């Protein structure tokens, strides 16, 4: 989920979402480098938000073993162009299928993209 989606889901202002970020599982998705070395787009795990609110957690979406570029882009709510750039920076494990131009992304690589643990004292 994006910051805006979390704010709408919780019925709070976007600035309030940044205050509860340490309690949520977040990902930084994007190409490393630039201003933020871990990526530029913040994505919040839906399950951690629902646990924080005390709501039941839905079943995770079923992804095939090898995911298409479009499926990967929809999963993180980004453009396929950004997914291509992430592959070019070797942050995703991707393969060409046969002699075609079709690119498939490893599901486990996709699920681990941008995941990092936040440290809280």
């Amino acid at each position: 989920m994006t910051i805006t989606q979390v704010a709408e889901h919780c019925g709070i202002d976007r600035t309030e979402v940044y205050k509860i970020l340490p309690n949520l599982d977040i990902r930084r998705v994007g190409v490393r480098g630039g201003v933020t070395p871990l990526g530029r787009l913040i994505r919040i795990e839906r399950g951690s938000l629902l646990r924080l609110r005390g709501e039941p957690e839905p079943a995770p979406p079923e992804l095939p073993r090898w995911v298409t570029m479009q499926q990967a882009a929809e999963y993180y709510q980004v453009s396929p162009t950004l997914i291509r750039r992430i592959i070019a920076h070797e942050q995703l494990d991707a393969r060409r299928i046969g002699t075609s131009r079709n690119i498939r992304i490893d599901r486990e690589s996709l699920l681990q993209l941008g995941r990092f643990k936040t440290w809280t004292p």
Side-chain angles (χ1 to χ4, degrees):
M1 297 178 81
T2 64
I3 296 289
T4 304
Q5 290 172 334
V6 171
E8 290 173 1
H9 183 76
C10 295
I12 59 177
D13 187 39
R14 287 183 59 193
T15 56
E16 296 296 317
V17 174
Y18 288 99
K19 294 178 183 175
I20 62 171
L21 276 183
N23 301 327
L24 300 171
D25 295 332
I26 62 170
R27 294 174 188 254
R28 301 285 294 205
V29 179
V31 179
R32 293 181 185 187
V35 180
T36 53
L38 297 172
R40 60 183 184 185
L41 301 172
I42 296 174
R43 294 294 184 255
I44 298 163
E45 295 289 330
R46 183 182 307 269
S48 68
L49 177 65
L50 295 176
R51 279 192 304 274
L52 183 68
R53 294 192 58 179
E55 298 177 12
E57 195 171 329
E62 288 293 321
L63 292 173
R65 176 71 176 101
W66 293 97
V67 180
T68 65
M69 299 278 282
Q70 188 64 36
Q71 289 171 325
E74 289 172 3
Y75 185 79
Y76 283 115
Q77 300 171 349
V78 296
S79 69
T81 305
L82 180 59
I83 296 295
R84 284 185 186 280
R85 289 182 21 214
I86 291 171
I87 291 170
H89 284 274
E90 298 178 354
Q91 294 178 15
L92 282 175
D93 183 25
R95 303 275 190 270
R96 288 199 185 273
I97 305 298
T99 59
S100 68
R101 295 176 48 103
N102 295 332
I103 296 174
R104 297 293 186 264
I105 301 162
D106 182 39
R107 175 184 57 212
E108 299 307 316
S109 169
L110 182 71
L111 295 176
Q112 293 301 319
L113 176 68
R115 181 173 287 175
F116 66 96
K117 297 287 184 189
T118 55
W119 181 79
T120 53

